[in-house]
Amino acid sequence: MTDTLNGEQLAKQISSMFPNSVEKHSDNTVWITSDNIVDVALYLRDESSLRFNFLSSITGVDFIDKFEVVYHLTSFEHNHTAVIKTSLLGRDDPYTYSVINVWRGADLQEREVWDLMGIRFDDHPNLKRLFLWPDFPGHPLRKDFQDTRKG
């Protein structure tokens, strides 16, 4: 059975390497500052005691006053998982940094989050719509989305 790493312990381990990168933690989740997401992701992948070599999923969550990007990670070597999140304030141009250079599997998942939620991933080499056409007005999974197309 796969174990979920304790959020407090993982937060302490991350903080020891990247001071001020952990915003908060819960029993099984660690919130990382958006500016540090790539460095922390590289650490989570490469640290011998962690080895999160597989990105299970990336998704976006709309809380009206903020967005969160959620990363589900798995280590096949150690048979454990972790959940990392980053919070993005504002609705006009929410963005974080792409982890595609850490986990290639982030490619389509980041494009999906951009297409449907409007969260931009800086440094993504091909951030364009995945499901909708280029001129589609807005991002339909946002809570404030209003379809203005005639039809």
Side-chain angles (χ1 to χ4, degrees), residues 24 34 73 97 112 122 125 130 148:
K24 63 182 178 178
S34 179
L73 309 175
Y97 296 91
E112 177 182 9
D122 279 4
L130 183 63
T148 58

Side-chain angles (χ1 to χ4, degrees), residues 25-59:
H25 64 82
S26 68
D27 289 344
N28 62 359
T29 303
V30 179
W31 281 261
I32 304 296
T33 58
S34 179
D35 289 344
N36 291 302
I37 195 68
V38 175
D39 290 335
V40 170
L42 284 165
Y43 172 73
L44 294 173
R45 184 194 68 190
D46 296 340
E47 167 57 37
S48 63
S49 65
L50 299 172
R51 291 279 193 249
F52 286 107
N53 55 339
F54 184 70
L55 173 67
S56 302
S57 67
I58 300 174
T59 192

